[in-house]
Amino acid sequence: MLGARTWLGRGLLLPCARAGLAASPRGSSSRDKDRSVTVSSSGPMPAGGKGSRTNCSPSTPQKVPNRLINEKSPYLLQHAYNPVDWYPWGQEAFDKARKENKPIFLSVGYSTCHWCHMMEEESFQNEEIGRLLSEDFVSVKVDREERPDVDKVYMTFVQATSSGGGWPMNVWLTPNLQPFVGGTYFPLEDGLTRVGFRTVLLRIREQWKQNKNTLLENSQRVTAALLARSEISMGDRQLPPSGATMNSRCFQQLDEGYDEEYGGFAEAPKFPTPVILSFLFSYWLSHRLTQDGSRAQQMALHTLKMMANGGIRDHVGQGFHRYSTDRQWHIPHFEKMLYDQAQLAVAYSQAFQISGDEFYSDVARGILQYVARNLSHRSGGFCSAEDADSPPERGMQPKEGAFYVWTVKEVQQLLPEPVPGATEPLTSGQLLMKHYGLTEAGNISPSQDPQGELHGRNVLTVRYSLELTAARFGLDVEAVRTLLNTGLEKLFQARKHRPRPHLDSKMLASWNGLMVSGFAVTGAVLGLERLINYATNGAKFLKRHMFDVASGRLMRTCYAGSGGTVEHSNPPCWGFLEDYAFVVRGLLDLYEASQESSWLEWALRLQDAQDRLFWDSQGGGYFCSEAELGAGLPLRLKDDQDGAEPSANSVSAHNLLRLHGFTGHKDWMDKCVSLLTAFSERLRRVPVALPEMVRALSAHQQTLKQIVICGDPQAKDTKALLQCVHSIYIPNKVLILANGDPSSFLSRQLPFLSTLRRLEDRATAYVCENQACSVPITEPCELRKLLHQ
């Protein structure tokens, strides 16, 4: 916590005080008991996520839009008919605040965030609140997915001056953009233990009039403290810490928090955390002959299995919801995010590589089937998210999970057919309900449904193995599998007639880069060309619609227009570090999956642009935003946490290692070392906060394998060797196809490739480490043996 206590009248603390206004640890359940900000307590509060009210037009014709009507963001458009004089983030708002000497009210959220919509309905649609905000403040709305830099800066303030953060995030700023009060969701009215939004506004208005100088001094003091605290730099250090030590400490910290019974690493709410699973797989590989290595593998595989069996997975339509509100992965927060699908597809593909269990490959295929069906745009890009809420029937108010939950009656009516050969009278519906735990009263606890929206309804979650369900009714396992799959398909067809959740059709470069990786890696592992084609189309979309050839820069966002078109904001929103890092990773994965060198060439150009725009030449590592784009913001940050998405610096460290392996360019290896050195203190202090960077640190201090396949890319023997490599979990490698052309892009980067020859005119593999290559190998089984050593 930062700063000293400063009162805004009785019962309200500035967040520079220890108690603060902001509550809500990021990711709290949308059904926690305390759903509001409290004065005396900063207990659990939801961090955004549930549904949006999907209409972006006035509910009555006489309403007049505010200036947000001219924006492209679905989130901003959802506020375009509020009686609030909203401004988008920009100079016009800042100039007004300075000219009129008013504080800025900054409200940040995203289009599928439940508590953002709750606050909009309760407060921002309120005429009195609209007058207060318009007369005494300059009100600014920000879509956190459009402007992650703004979100990160002020979330840093809210988290540092309170017990947590979340969305909606509401922060009051000086005209110079320095924060002085912050919080998350505020109810409209005061409660016994909470402060209402009206009260907050009135007290801040009063304090701005009476104690403005004190507020300005406090904001400067807190900003200075945040600036010092958030600095990440090499300092006097020359080298990063020991990878082996950080690896071991990160594993031990994860092991201590592991849930033996249900998997995962918390009581509730429970998040998928693919970065942790990726770390555990990597740890297993380098410790596979030890007890800790076996433990790491078991932790990751068990977590993935329990998640896939739980209600966090949509068993009817596939894909994963955002998180589980309980320890058992049973009742989810029903929102579906693109970045989760992308990372989980890779995690399940890796689980299949390691275990050989087709359960995991089936889950990966299901995830990508969902994305292709529901999140793919005609242009080849991928939309951001689907909401948690939807109307149970057309014309009704949206409700939590309405699209996804079932009553016993619905299932019985859809699946009335008797099951032949069962040891007792049994219908297909009864079989499915037994296997997936459906009950007449519903399988959702009232404590997880305080509003009663899900009473009598069920979330499908696997209660028994196929073998146990088959034994219970005296049936063959394969017969049960077929009956359940047929039943799920009938539920899927019936669900098509329900009103769908709102689709956030905004397309982000960063999340599209992750999705390119998801399709490319899974397609390569499973040998499915159609999945690689989705990745290729995604990369083409990024180059066509989100890349400015003249400047060599990526754009952050574009939007689905009418008739399958793609629209951009004017002026464009330029890319942030995560856009470059995630797209470069996607292109490297796509090159290895498709062996199309044009994607590798574009990755190199984007890495050059990233280095030019974001690299800290003094302290090492990458800033999250361009210097010009973030002009005026009190902080320029380097993201130092691998969370729901990996830190862009963690991903960049991996990218630099891989690019060095593809090109031999020493500058990229030097940058990788500087980056890891800059994060040394954070790695030493809390390695579990950066498991993806710990993985990069270990990879840097081990030896990267250059696996070279010499052959015709269309020939069967070449494809056999490539598929052999793809089938094995080898995270610390680059896969190179050498087609014998000395003038090819890769041969120009790595001259030694021209010295490698095919053996007896057959496709031939070489495994190179430390500038030395293995003997030539032509048989996939021999290559497999070598790679497993």
Side-chain angles (χ1 to χ4, degrees), residues 239-251 279 282-283 286-287 676 680 683-684 687 690-691 693-702:
L239 292 171
S242 159
T245 302
M246 295 304 100
N247 227 9
S248 177
R249 287 183 58 198
C250 186
F251 170 74
F279 167 81
S282 186
Y283 186 87
S286 57
H287 298 78
L676 294 169
S680 290
L683 286 166
R684 285 193 181 97
L690 283 165
M693 191 173 288
V694 173
R695 223 165 57 79
L697 177 64
S698 298
H700 157 62
Q701 294 178 0
Q702 295 168 4

Side-chain angles (χ1 to χ4, degrees), residues 752-771:
F752 82 89
L753 294 179
S754 60
T755 68
L756 303 180
R757 297 280 182 263
R758 297 190 204 184
L759 197 63
E760 300 173 358
D761 206 31
R762 298 169 64 189
T764 305
Y766 296 85
V767 179
C768 305
E769 299 179 71
N770 294 324
Q771 300 180 320

Side-chain angles (χ1 to χ4, degrees), residues 26 108 144 147-159 167 169 556 576-578 624-625 633 635 637-641 645-648:
R26 233 183 262 226
V108 181
R144 67 172 294 264
R147 290 300 302 258
D149 58 333
V150 175
D151 179 59
K152 284 183 176 117
V153 164
Y154 295 110
M155 186 63 77
T156 299
F157 167 75
V158 170
Q159 289 178 321
W167 299 278
M169 175 175 66
R556 168 70 176 171
F576 297 91
L577 175 63
E578 63 191 56
C624 293
S625 58
L633 285 171
L635 304 172
L637 298 174
K638 298 173 187 173
D639 196 6
D640 63 350
Q641 182 163 358
E645 303 165 58
S647 156

Side-chain angles (χ1 to χ4, degrees), residues 552-764:
R553 293 158 82 196
L554 284 171
M555 296 173 205
R556 168 70 176 171
T557 59
C558 63
Y559 309 87
S562 58
T565 59
V566 174
E567 298 178 353
H568 294 85
S569 56
N570 187 20
C573 183
W574 294 110
F576 297 91
L577 175 63
E578 63 191 56
D579 297 298
Y580 289 82
F582 296 178
V583 170
V584 168
R585 170 190 271 187
L587 294 174
L588 297 180
D589 289 337
L590 180 54
Y591 166 71
E592 293 197 351
S594 68
Q595 299 301 318
E596 290 286 340
S597 63
S598 60
W599 300 123
L600 183 56
E601 292 183 54
W602 190 32
L604 267 64
R605 290 204 299 275
L606 287 180
Q607 186 64 51
D608 283 335
Q610 176 183 318
D611 294 346
R612 183 179 74 251
L613 296 168
F614 303 100
W615 180 253
D616 180 359
S617 56
Q618 293 184 319
Y622 293 97
F623 291 110
C624 293
S625 58
E626 295 183 36
E628 289 183 15
L629 192 63
L633 285 171
L635 304 172
R636 193 180 181 205
L637 298 174
K638 298 173 187 173
D639 196 6
D640 63 350
Q641 182 163 358
D642 295 320
E645 303 165 58
S647 156
N649 269 289
S650 298
V651 173
S652 294
H654 285 282
N655 290 345
L656 291 166
L657 286 173
R658 293 172 76 183
L659 286 166
H660 177 259
F662 280 122
T663 66
H665 293 181
K666 183 176 181 295
D667 179 56
W668 279 328
M669 180 60 79
D670 292 343
K671 274 191 166 59
C672 181
V673 173
S674 296
L675 186 160
L676 294 169
T677 304
F679 281 83
S680 290
E681 186 178 340
R682 176 72 163 162
L683 286 166
R684 285 193 181 97
R685 196 169 66 246
V686 202
V688 75
L690 283 165
E692 187 73 4
M693 191 173 288
V694 173
R695 223 165 57 79
L697 177 64
S698 298
H700 157 62
Q701 294 178 0
Q702 295 168 4
T703 304
L704 180 127
K705 286 183 169 68
Q706 294 169 303
I707 304 172
V708 184
I709 310 295
C710 301
D712 176 355
Q714 302 305 318
K716 285 184 179 179
D717 54 355
T718 303
K719 290 182 176 180
L721 290 173
L722 289 169
Q723 191 53 45
C724 172
V725 177
H726 289 310
S727 69
I728 305 170
Y729 176 69
I730 320 169
N732 194 19
K733 63 104 172 59
V734 293
L735 175 59
I736 297 168
L737 178 68
N739 60 7
D741 179 3
S743 65
S744 70
F745 173 74
L746 273 167
S747 292
R748 295 197 308 273
Q749 304 294 321
L750 298 170
F752 82 89
L753 294 179
S754 60
T755 68
L756 303 180
R757 297 280 182 263
R758 297 190 204 184
L759 197 63
E760 300 173 358
D761 206 31
R762 298 169 64 189
T764 305

Side-chain angles (χ1 to χ4, degrees), residues 538-563:
K540 288 178 178 176
F541 159 80
L542 285 163
K543 197 164 191 180
R544 185 181 304 120
H545 294 290
M546 306 197 79
F547 178 62
D548 180 63
V549 177
S551 65
R553 293 158 82 196
L554 284 171
M555 296 173 205
R556 168 70 176 171
T557 59
C558 63
Y559 309 87
S562 58

Side-chain angles (χ1 to χ4, degrees), residues 32 95 113 150 190 216 236 300 302 320 550 562 578 638 655:
D32 283 342
D95 289 345
C113 159
V150 175
D190 294 349
L216 293 173
D236 297 330
H302 182 60
F320 279 79
S562 58
E578 63 191 56
K638 298 173 187 173
N655 290 345

Side-chain angles (χ1 to χ4, degrees), residues 185-215:
Y185 163 80
F186 294 93
L188 177 61
E189 305 292 353
D190 294 349
L192 290 174
T193 59
R194 62 189 186 182
V195 180
F197 189 56
R198 180 187 285 109
T199 301
V200 173
L201 289 177
L202 291 172
R203 290 180 181 173
I204 291 176
R205 180 182 70 177
E206 189 67 20
Q207 288 297 309
W208 185 258
K209 290 177 180 177
Q210 295 183 1
N211 298 312
K212 183 170 64 178
N213 289 337
T214 302
L215 292 180

